[in-house]
Amino acid sequence: MNVVISVGAKDATIVIPINLALWGFVIAYVIHILEESILPEVFVDKVKRLYWPQYDWTKFFGFNALLLSVNIASVINYESLGGLWIIFPLSLACERIFNGFYHLVETIRTKAFSSGLLSSVITWILGYLVIRYSVMKGEISLLQFGISVSIGFVLFVSMIIPLVTGKMKNIKWQPNLRSYFHL
């Protein structure tokens, strides 16, 4: 599967393997994590203030490390197996796109910049390229895309609703890093 971009003349096309676009979503997520970590009101402080007083850097790191690992594994899995396996990295890409809309709505609602919004623009651009040049050109079937969007939305909702309602406060995210690194 490819992102096939037609430029000008009918014979002039640029073919970008879809896995490069999927890696672009992973890179955008890394930038997103960095943005949420360093901007004036970091994501951890915002979640503590608005939704979940017990939220901390351990939870932030643990969740993002897990989700980033799943994103990377899904792209590698697709690169190895191809075909319908596109659904998994595409689902995670869709989750990132929905996450960007959360940041947009939060910015509008609070009238303050939501850390994560800038990197979401990268995700939206990549999403546009995949839709415009892969889905609309038949490189990715509408069925694959529809399943991916549905799974991505369910992932987004299952992550954001508990976070903003504080329902995750009973989850223990206290890994003992010393035991992992034998310190």
Side-chain angles (χ1 to χ4, degrees), residues 79-92:
E79 287 180 330
S80 300
L81 302 172
L84 288 177
W85 291 97
I86 187 75
I87 291 170
F88 296 105
L90 198 54
S91 295
L92 293 165

Side-chain angles (χ1 to χ4, degrees), residues 87 90-95 98 142-158:
I87 291 170
L90 198 54
S91 295
L92 293 165
C94 290
E95 182 279 324
F98 290 123
L142 288 176
L143 180 61
Q144 291 169 329
F145 184 68
I147 292 169
S148 298
V149 169
S150 299
I151 293 171
F153 185 74
V154 168
L155 287 172
F156 166 72
V157 168
S158 66

Side-chain angles (χ1 to χ4, degrees), residues 11-181:
D11 295 339
T13 59
I14 300 171
V15 177
I16 303 168
I18 192 68
N19 62 320
L20 291 182
L22 297 172
W23 281 117
F25 281 103
V26 172
I27 293 166
Y29 185 35
V30 170
I31 294 168
H32 188 86
I33 294 167
L34 182 63
E35 181 184 357
E36 288 185 335
S37 301
I38 63 171
L39 286 182
E41 183 178 27
V42 296
F43 186 76
V44 170
D45 295 339
K46 178 176 47 179
V47 170
K48 276 183 173 182
R49 181 176 55 81
L50 295 175
Y51 309 117
W52 184 8
Q54 298 81 13
Y55 193 72
D56 60 20
W57 283 103
T58 303
K59 292 173 184 70
F60 178 83
F61 175 79
F63 174 78
N64 282 296
L66 176 67
L67 189 57
L68 183 60
S69 298
V70 170
N71 269 272
I72 291 167
S74 71
V75 176
I76 291 171
N77 193 39
Y78 168 70
E79 287 180 330
S80 300
L81 302 172
L84 288 177
W85 291 97
I86 187 75
I87 291 170
F88 296 105
L90 198 54
S91 295
L92 293 165
C94 290
E95 182 279 324
R96 294 283 84 211
I97 291 168
F98 290 123
N99 180 271
F101 288 113
Y102 159 79
H103 287 287
L104 177 63
V105 169
E106 182 181 60
T107 296
I108 293 167
R109 188 178 63 87
T110 63
K111 295 183 175 79
F113 179 77
S114 173
S115 59
L117 182 59
L118 284 176
S119 56
S120 295
V121 174
I122 299 168
T123 306
W124 296 333
I125 292 168
L126 288 167
Y128 166 78
L129 292 174
V130 167
I131 292 168
R132 173 73 173 87
Y133 297 108
S134 286
V135 176
M136 292 179 71
K137 293 201 176 191
E139 290 285 323
I140 297 172
S141 75
L142 288 176
L143 180 61
Q144 291 169 329
F145 184 68
I147 292 169
S148 298
V149 169
S150 299
I151 293 171
F153 185 74
V154 168
L155 287 172
F156 166 72
V157 168
S158 66
M159 288 187 285
I160 205 69
I161 296 297
L163 180 67
V164 299
T165 61
K167 300 288 186 206
M168 298 175 86
K169 59 185 157 194
N170 296 326
I171 296 175
K172 304 277 189 232
W173 290 74
Q174 303 296 328
N176 182 351
L177 295 179
R178 289 180 170 226
S179 67
Y180 291 126
F181 297 106

